[in-house]
Amino acid sequence: MKALVLSGGAGTRLRPITHTSAKQLVPVANKPVLFYGLEAIAEAGITDVGIIVGDTAPEIREAVGDGSALGIDVTYIPQDEPRGLAHAVLIARDFLGDDDFVMYLGDNFIVGGITGLVEEFRADRPDAQILLTKVPNPTAFGVAELDAQGRVASLEEKPKEPKSDLALVGVYLFTPAVHEAVRAIEPSWRGELEITHAIQWLIDQRRDVRSTTISGYWKDTGNVTDMLEVNRSVLETLRGVTEGTVDESSEIIGRVRIEAGARVTSSRIVGPVIIGAGSVITDAYVGPFTSVSENCRIEDSEIEYSIVLRGASVSGVRRVEASLIGRDVEVTPAPRNPSAHRLVLGDHSKVQISS
């Protein structure tokens, strides 16, 4: 069995971060979100992995390499531009051959991995198996409708009037039957070859399409809010360890990981928090659910529930929260301007100004 991992999207919902970085490489608890998916694939016993790459291919290649560090063997498959998930299957035909495969969206995050799902698929080998979860906003996803027996009756991509609240999670399992399906469909109104259309084609051909509804944690890390929430979820499982240095005037509370080469001076850190290698925390407060990457500087500032990327600095800022701070960013106080009121008042006006 093989894996096809999609890592070519533009990441428009994470701009401006993704103007200069692949969305799949934005770190969660100081590890690229893409790596969590690749590790889940390896844990499921799948080692032959194709990665669909686009404009950010050089960055993805540099981060993942040949995959040996993650226990996999990687083949890179270039895509000239995002043309839909079914198009990714189409261009990966030579790599996939006649093998069964799991398709995994590289910016998705599933707690607990996919080992159980893969084992179930290997045992029964339906033509397609999809993963579903209940969501409050199904119009933003592909949506599945199940019949009275719980079988997949229909699929629709981002429907205006959803027939259910069951959204497709970014993990799909297929036999080679899907190759005929992706060749049979036409581009949608979005100009893309939709994987939902390909699966619907299989349903219409009375092929065996099954679903598994998960109640565990799943997130599409496509926007800042979800990225911070995934970071929170991962940090919940953090084990505290101090490999860097902490002076006697600092206070470390709860599960805090301070990596080698990091220094904490005259500061208070309340976990769960991870401080990356080479980072310096001075006269600062770092609050729960914060990930500070390597070679950052937090000085005379307060920050919590945030992600700080490599080389960034926050200095002299009293409170930062729920923020995603990019690489080599500098956050400092604004200059204080003299207070003044500038008024243009009509006749007989009454104005109250608090001094």
Side-chain angles (χ1 to χ4, degrees):
M1 191 170 183
K2 294 177 179 176
L4 184 65
V5 177
L6 276 63
S7 192
T12 55
R13 291 178 294 159
L14 272 175
R15 287 176 180 168
I17 296 293
T18 49
H19 280 309
T20 54
S21 176
K23 66 176 180 177
Q24 297 85 4
L25 295 182
V26 176
V28 169
N30 287 4
K31 181 165 65 176
V33 68
L34 173 64
F35 283 25
Y36 291 95
L38 295 177
E39 288 171 354
I41 288 167
E43 288 168 4
I46 301 171
T47 57
D48 202 356
V49 181
I51 300 182
I52 302 288
V53 291
D55 292 341
T56 59
E59 193 176 6
I60 299 291
R61 286 175 181 267
E62 182 180 359
V64 179
D66 63 3
S68 57
L70 297 165
I72 56 177
D73 181 22
V74 171
T75 298
Y76 292 97
I77 304 167
Q79 186 180 37
D80 57 353
E81 62 179 281
R83 297 177 184 269
L85 305 188
H87 181 261
V89 176
L90 200 63
I91 64 173
R93 184 68 174 92
D94 289 344
F95 165 76
L96 295 169
D98 291 325
D99 293 312
D100 297 348
F101 67 97
V102 56
M103 184 167 72
Y104 197 113
L105 273 58
D107 58 354
N108 274 226
F109 184 89
I110 301 173
V111 170
I114 61 171
T115 300
L117 182 70
V118 170
E119 289 175 350
E120 179 185 346
F121 179 82
R122 279 175 163 155
D124 298 338
R125 288 199 74 235
D127 293 299
Q129 187 161 346
I130 59 177
L131 206 55
L132 305 174
T133 191
K134 291 188 175 183
V135 295
N137 56 333
T139 56
F141 302 94
V143 173
E145 180 188 16
L146 305 183
D147 63 18
Q149 287 73 43
R151 295 173 299 197
V152 183
S154 68
L155 299 173
E156 191 173 3
E157 187 67 30
K158 296 181 174 61
K160 294 181 179 179
E161 297 182 4
K163 296 178 181 178
S164 81
D165 60 354
L166 293 172
L168 277 76
V169 174
V171 178
Y172 310 79
L173 297 106
F174 297 110
T175 66
V178 74
H179 296 301
E180 185 180 0
V182 297
R183 290 194 304 269
I185 62 174
E186 298 292 334
S188 68
W189 61 270
R190 300 194 303 168
E192 297 186 358
L193 290 175
E194 311 284 1
I195 198 66
T196 47
H197 291 180
I199 299 171
Q200 184 64 53
W201 186 90
L202 291 172
I203 295 170
D204 294 341
Q205 298 297 313
R206 300 188 181 279
R207 306 300 289 264
D208 188 3
V209 177
R210 303 184 189 181
S211 69
T212 300
T213 301
I214 61 170
S215 56
Y217 188 85
W218 164 78
K219 278 288 184 184
D220 166 11
T221 60
N223 59 53
V224 173
T225 299
D226 287 341
M227 184 68 71
L228 292 172
E229 179 60 19
V230 169
N231 188 64
R232 182 202 63 77
S233 177
V234 175
L235 289 179
E236 288 277 20
T237 65
L238 183 73
R239 294 178 59 187
V241 62
T242 299
E243 298 172 340
T245 59
V246 180
D247 75 348
E248 294 181 355
S249 62
S250 294
E251 185 178 16
I252 307 297
I253 301 172
R255 291 171 288 114
V256 176
R257 180 178 179 86
I258 301 172
E259 296 184 341
R263 302 197 314 273
V264 179
T265 306
S266 302
S267 297
R268 186 169 187 257
I269 302 179
V270 180
V273 165
I274 183 168
I275 307 295
S279 289
V280 177
I281 313 297
T282 307
D283 297 318
Y285 165 76
V286 181
F289 308 119
T290 301
S291 295
V292 179
S293 192
E294 68 269 20
N295 299 320
C296 295
R297 181 177 294 274
I298 311 294
E299 183 178 19
D300 188 28
S301 300
E302 301 175 1
I303 185 169
E304 71 176 40
Y305 194 65
S306 294
I307 299 173
V308 183
L309 273 59
R310 184 185 69 238
S313 67
V314 181
S315 179
V317 180
R318 296 320 311 161
R319 192 69 174 179
V320 176
E321 62 181 26
S323 298
L324 175 57
I325 299 173
R327 293 176 299 182
D328 300 313
V329 165
E330 295 182 6
V331 181
T332 58
R336 294 187 176 182
N337 296 318
S339 298
H341 302 288
R342 181 174 297 175
L343 308 173
V344 178
L345 302 175
D347 297 345
H348 311 296
S349 296
K350 292 181 180 181
V351 177
Q352 294 181 332
I353 298 176
S354 59
S355 58

